[in-house]
Amino acid sequence: MAVLAVGFAWLRFGDLGPWLDGAPPWVREAALLVRGETPAEPEAARAPAPVPVQVAQVAIRSVPVEFRSVGTVEAVETVAIRSRVDGVVEKILVADGARVKAGDLLVELDSRPIEAQIDQQEANIRRDRAQLENAKVILGRAQDLAQRGATAQQSLDDARTQVASLTAGLAASEAQLRALQLERSFHRVTAPFDGRIGRLTVSLGAIVRGSDTGGTIATLNQVDPIYVAVGIPQNLLGELSQALQAGTARIEVPLPGSTETRTGPVTMVENQVERGTGLVTVRARIKNDDQRLWPGTVLDARLILRDDPDALVVPSGAVQISQTGSFLFVIDQDQKARVQPVQVDRTAGDYAVLTSGPPAGTTVVTEGQIRLTDGAAVHIEDSQQGLEARL
């Protein structure tokens, strides 16, 4: 009895750690019962901790039907400015890269030679007019003499011919004067439209020739409004035609170095498909009075065909892909994750548009899915993405 009492006391109050290590499970459980302790549950029997997740809600919102591609900024009008006459550059009245208005004087050529020709032609006209006046006087006398039978008919005919000849000569001289005056105007090279001039390739004293097709003085681009061109697949032409008829087709681009965007209506579709690529070029006119868009710039562009006002959307990060298709993890009333199959129509920015899925207001997991299984308990954390989805 004394041995049993000592053994019981040792089991009750002694240090059993070293002794229990390596002992059979039933021995450890019996010893713990004697000590009044509850045996620890096996690790496999313990309930897993809730998985921390971030969530959003399925929402109904207006989402554009769009096509994203690379856009190129193009000038609506581009012209290579050349001289139409030969001359020496006398004045340059515009700086490289300046913004100009239609009719602004860019370059002025030496007009003294043409001025001298104009003066000479004006003198010729005065001479022709004097000769014509004299011929008309002679014709009048011949007609008077012919009426009285005092001169031959031939003299009258000669006088009439002389008047007609001088009249035609005067008309020719006046036409030549107008041609010289027009040529004089070509010595003043002006801007044909509003735009921005490039670098001038001439300097004071340079000789330019109207026959030199490669002698460009400068290049002028119209930059307000401006084109943004996007290449779209040919299979979108049907939807694009419908959008153009409805007046909803537009292109949106971000301004370089800014989060601001600018939008313009589609005004031009190329009249053929490129054989090598199967793409069709679509252009939109975009307001550019502050010249934030520059010809030749390449940027991301959105061709928006129409707006779907009642689209069922979730954040794109909520959609998961498996061998059986797309699915979401939805949170039920017991704070457990459940697998919900969905069909995705398209993506629009940060959102996925669903053709079938849970109703609006359903809470879905947007982050933390990698640790989830069907029926797993979750712990919902704050999520900015979820707040955005509720808009």
Side-chain angles (χ1 to χ4, degrees):
M1 292 295 292
V3 171
L4 291 176
V6 171
F8 181 82
W10 177 71
L11 289 175
R12 180 72 175 176
F13 304 105
D15 183 9
L16 303 184
W19 181 76
L20 289 180
D21 292 340
W26 65 270
V27 174
R28 291 198 300 269
E29 292 179 5
L32 292 174
L33 288 175
V34 171
R35 296 171 66 91
E37 299 178 7
T38 303
E41 294 184 6
E43 291 294 330
R46 294 181 183 177
V51 178
V53 295
Q54 294 185 0
V55 298
Q57 287 186 334
V58 180
I60 294 178
R61 59 185 301 172
S62 178
V63 178
V65 178
E66 63 183 31
F67 173 78
R68 291 177 178 259
S69 182
V70 175
T72 304
V73 181
E74 301 176 352
V76 175
E77 298 287 350
T78 299
V79 63
I81 299 175
R82 301 186 180 96
S83 174
R84 301 174 67 175
V85 295
D86 297 347
V88 178
V89 177
E90 187 175 52
K91 295 180 181 179
I92 297 179
L93 303 170
V94 64
D96 292 344
R99 191 172 182 177
V100 298
K101 297 289 186 181
D104 284 355
L105 183 60
L106 308 178
V107 173
E108 192 169 354
L109 305 180
D110 185 3
S111 61
R112 288 176 296 177
I114 193 68
E115 293 288 355
Q117 294 182 46
I118 290 175
D119 292 341
Q120 181 181 4
Q121 191 61 29
E122 288 177 342
N124 292 338
I125 290 175
R126 289 193 296 270
R127 180 199 61 196
D128 292 344
R129 286 175 178 169
Q131 291 177 350
L132 178 59
E133 290 299 324
N134 183 58
K136 288 180 178 179
V137 172
I138 293 174
L139 176 60
R141 290 174 181 172
Q143 289 173 338
D144 184 56
L145 292 174
Q147 288 177 357
R148 290 183 291 172
T151 186
Q153 182 65 33
Q154 183 63 43
S155 299
L156 178 60
D157 293 341
D158 290 343
R160 286 174 176 168
T161 301
Q162 183 67 12
V163 170
S165 176
L166 292 174
T167 300
L170 177 61
S173 296
E174 291 174 341
Q176 187 174 359
L177 176 62
R178 290 193 296 272
L180 290 172
Q181 290 171 338
L182 179 62
E183 185 177 344
R184 178 178 60 183
S185 70
F186 295 157
H187 286 67
R188 294 169 57 87
V189 181
T190 59
F193 49 78
D194 295 355
R196 187 172 288 276
I197 200 79
R199 179 178 180 272
L200 275 74
T201 60
V202 297
S203 57
L204 292 176
I207 298 176
V208 295
R209 302 189 182 279
S211 60
D212 186 3
T213 57
T216 301
I217 295 175
T219 299
L220 178 64
N221 287 335
Q222 179 181 336
V223 294
D224 182 31
I226 202 164
Y227 273 144
V228 172
V230 176
I232 67 169
Q234 58 187 2
N235 57 6
L236 287 181
L237 281 175
E239 290 185 77
L240 177 60
S241 298
Q242 296 176 0
L244 289 173
Q245 293 178 1
T248 58
R250 60 193 186 274
I251 291 178
E252 180 183 275
V253 293
L255 295 179
S258 172
T259 58
E260 182 183 352
T261 60
R262 196 159 290 178
T263 306
V266 173
T267 57
M268 185 264 182
V269 180
E270 204 58 73
N271 58 1
Q272 65 179 2
V273 178
E274 296 181 9
R275 292 185 178 180
T277 62
L279 299 179
V280 182
T281 301
V282 178
R283 292 182 175 88
R285 281 180 180 250
I286 295 181
K287 185 176 177 59
N288 192 38
D289 54 349
D290 55 359
Q291 297 189 13
R292 300 281 295 278
L293 298 173
W294 212 252
T297 303
V298 177
L299 34 70
D300 295 330
R302 300 169 60 209
L303 171 62
I304 302 173
L305 299 174
R306 64 182 185 278
D307 293 304
D308 185 356
D310 299 316
L312 189 68
V313 300
V314 295
S316 300
V319 180
Q320 304 296 300
I321 306 296
S322 70
Q323 294 180 346
T324 58
S326 301
F327 67 93
L328 304 172
F329 279 110
V330 302
I331 307 301
D332 62 14
Q333 296 179 349
D334 298 327
Q335 298 294 292
K336 293 184 178 181
R338 300 296 180 184
V339 173
Q340 172 71 57
V342 296
Q343 290 184 353
V344 179
D345 178 39
R346 65 185 188 277
T347 58
D350 297 330
Y351 295 96
V353 180
L354 307 180
T355 55
S356 67
T362 302
T363 301
V364 298
V365 178
T366 59
E367 292 187 21
Q369 299 97 323
I370 192 171
R371 298 176 56 189
L372 290 180
T373 57
D374 191 22
V378 298
H379 169 65
I380 297 177
E381 298 180 341
D382 293 336
S383 172
Q384 184 62 29
Q385 188 176 16
L387 298 175
E388 292 176 355
R390 294 184 175 92
L391 295 177

